[in-house]
């Protein structure tokens, strides 16, 4: 019978298998989902999926005989990490595969190609182009605000809001969990038939961010009815879109907050880290007292004690006190660039807007808490 045989450099296979570890399902009830499909034709390629996300990419290899097999992804990755030299793979009878490197030999039980789930075909109707760098930044600046297995399942994803404007497309990416929200805008190239609101699952966004880490490539995005495809460097990441209606984020972003405070970002972050040591674990509450040109941060915990710290700030206006979950503020500050941050407030319990110095394209909103 025909046996697939190939030789691969250790670094190549290690790198390729690293890129799919987050996608292959480890605790799966369907054994096939912990496998990746290796195909050797004129070129070698690998595919992995958890039925929501799929990754397909090339594998540099010397192909001695063509063929295909589904191989346990975790085990082969562990082998590739530990062996010293290059690796040769050869299929055996009954879907076994022999892995050799130097004097080491491993035999793994595989599964036939026909067991592998059929991946959705890439449709090339709506198409967008974006630099890897821009996309990575947009994800990093919004993903922290998304819900964590929220029952309102649309909040467990990132909203991609696409609007055709003149000869560009305005892309906004939004994350929110109902307590805080972040939105970032960029103009990108492409053609779409109409305005679209797509919800990308959080896991897909994380995998995408990993995939484009350090890449300077452009990424082409294709959209079909239920799926979105990100293509770069011959690698395609496919994700199912979350169905449902995303909250109207534009209504949440306050327009007329009249009180403005400007603070050094790093100093503010450090002060929050220190004062939040004394806040209650569950609520993480820290109170900000605003006065002319200064802020006092206070946290109190009846069981432990209290912390307070004074910070210089640009503020002119009525003294006011407002309480926040310190964790939410710290997340925002960590996602921000620039040396200073401005807080725009209205009432102690109305949404606070946080902005990077000199950047109108990135807005963060946080709901205060009762102090």
């Amino acid at each position: 019978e025909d046996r697939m045989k190939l030789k691969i450099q250790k670094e190549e296979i290690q790198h390729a298998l690293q890129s799919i570890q987050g996608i292959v399902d480890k605790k799966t009830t369907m054994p096939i989902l912990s496998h990746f499909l290796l195909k050797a034709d004129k070129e070698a390629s690998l595919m992995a999926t958890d039925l929501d996300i799929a990754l397909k990419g090339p594998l540099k290899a010397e192909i001695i005989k063509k063929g295909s097999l589904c191989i346990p992804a975790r085990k082969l990755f562990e082998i590739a990490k530990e062996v010293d030299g290059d690796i040769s793979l050869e299929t055996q009878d009954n879907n076994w595969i022999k892995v050799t490197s130097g004097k080491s030999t491993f035999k793994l039980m595989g599964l036939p190609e026909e067991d592998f789930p059929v991946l959705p075909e890439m449709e090339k109707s709506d198409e967008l182009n974006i630099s890897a760098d821009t996309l990575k930044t947009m994800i990093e600046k919004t993903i922290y605000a998304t819900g964590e297995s929220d029952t309102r399942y649309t909040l467990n994803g990132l909203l991609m809001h696409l609007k055709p404007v003149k000869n560009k497309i305005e892309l906004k990416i939004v994350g929110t969990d109902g307590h805080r929200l972040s939105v970032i805008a960029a103009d990108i190239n492409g053609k779409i038939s109409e305005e679209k609101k797509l919800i990308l699952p959080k896991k897909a966004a994380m995998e995408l961010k990993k995939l484009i880490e350090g890449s300077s490539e452009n990424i082409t995005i294709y959209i079909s009815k239920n799926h979105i495809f990100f293509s770069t460097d011959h690698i395609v990441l496919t994700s199912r879109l979350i169905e449902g209606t995303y909250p109207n984020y534009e209504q949440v972003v306050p327009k007329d907050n009249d009180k403005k405070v400007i603070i050094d970002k790093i100093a503010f972050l450090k002060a929050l880290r220190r004062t939040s040591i004394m806040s209650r674990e569950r609520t993480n509450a820290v109170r900000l007292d605003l006065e002319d040109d200064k802020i006092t941060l206070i946290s109190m915990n009846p069981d432990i004690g209290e912390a307070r710290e004074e910070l210089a700030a640009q503020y002119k206006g009525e003294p006011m006190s407002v309480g926040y979950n310190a964790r939410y503020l710290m997340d925002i500050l960590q996602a921000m660039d620039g040396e200073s941050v401005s807080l725009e407030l209205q009432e102690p319990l109305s949404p606070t807007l946080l902005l990077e110095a000199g950047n109108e394209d990135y807005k963060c909103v946080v709901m205060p808490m009762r102090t």
Side-chain angles (χ1 to χ4, degrees), residues 149-161:
S149 56
D150 199 299
T151 47
R152 299 160 296 175
Y153 54 94
T154 54
L155 301 187
N156 301 322
L158 282 179
L159 175 71
M160 297 177 71
H161 183 182

Side-chain angles (χ1 to χ4, degrees), residues 141-362:
K141 285 181 176 287
T142 51
I143 197 160
Y144 68 85
T146 53
E148 202 60 73
S149 56
D150 199 299
T151 47
R152 299 160 296 175
Y153 54 94
T154 54
L155 301 187
N156 301 322
L158 282 179
L159 175 71
M160 297 177 71
H161 183 182
L162 299 154
K163 230 186 206 158
V165 202
K166 296 200 183 92
N167 49 2
K168 289 269 187 199
I169 293 166
E170 181 186 80
L171 166 64
K172 284 192 175 148
I173 294 185
V174 187
T176 185
D177 60 4
H179 303 288
R180 51 182 169 167
L181 176 145
S182 53
V183 52
I184 186 163
D187 284 339
I188 62 172
N189 296 317
K191 52 175 202 299
I192 52 172
S193 43
E194 58 189 357
E195 182 175 350
K196 284 185 162 28
K197 291 187 170 179
L198 315 168
I199 307 171
L200 181 68
K202 190 174 193 166
K203 182 178 172 184
M206 301 290 268
E207 288 304 323
L208 178 60
K209 185 166 96 65
K210 271 201 305 220
L211 185 67
I212 60 186
E213 204 79 54
S215 163
S216 55
E217 297 290 315
N218 266 338
I219 292 163
T220 310
I221 304 175
Y222 302 102
I223 301 155
S224 71
K225 192 174 170 300
N226 303 311
H227 291 88
I228 186 165
F229 305 86
F230 300 90
S231 169
T232 171
D233 245 357
H234 309 297
I235 298 174
V236 179
L237 180 80
T238 304
S239 172
R240 192 197 295 265
L241 294 164
I242 297 177
E243 287 173 56
T245 314
Y246 200 80
N248 182 344
Y249 68 93
E250 280 148 327
Q251 281 180 348
V252 178
V253 180
K255 302 275 187 293
D256 41 15
N257 285 359
D258 48 2
K259 302 183 181 66
K260 289 193 174 59
V261 192
I262 299 173
I263 322 171
D264 179 290
K265 190 187 74 180
I266 302 293
F268 189 25
L269 183 55
K270 287 181 167 175
L272 280 164
R273 284 205 182 116
R274 288 189 290 258
T275 42
S276 67
I277 292 172
M278 299 303 278
S279 61
R280 289 170 182 252
E281 264 74 31
R282 207 176 46 80
T283 58
N284 250 311
V286 169
R287 191 176 91 214
L288 271 56
D289 289 351
L290 308 181
E291 298 163 83
D292 274 355
D293 294 330
K294 73 168 188 183
I295 293 188
T296 310
L297 283 74
I298 301 166
S299 69
M300 295 189 185
N301 184 331
D303 310 323
I304 305 174
E306 61 175 86
R308 56 186 342 153
E309 179 151 347
E310 235 176 72
L311 269 183
Q314 293 175 38
Y315 177 69
K316 292 275 180 274
E318 293 292 301
M320 95 181 233
S321 292
V322 54
Y324 297 102
N325 177 328
R327 175 79 263 149
Y328 292 166
L329 291 180
M330 293 189 285
D331 285 346
I332 292 173
L333 295 173
Q334 276 159 336
M336 285 194 161
D337 298 314
E339 308 221 324
S340 62
V341 56
S342 70
L343 276 69
E344 302 192 354
L345 313 97
Q346 198 180 354
E347 300 296 327
L349 288 173
S350 59
T352 301
L353 182 63
L354 286 89
L355 300 169
E356 279 180 354
N359 182 4
E360 276 295 300
D361 292 328
Y362 183 41

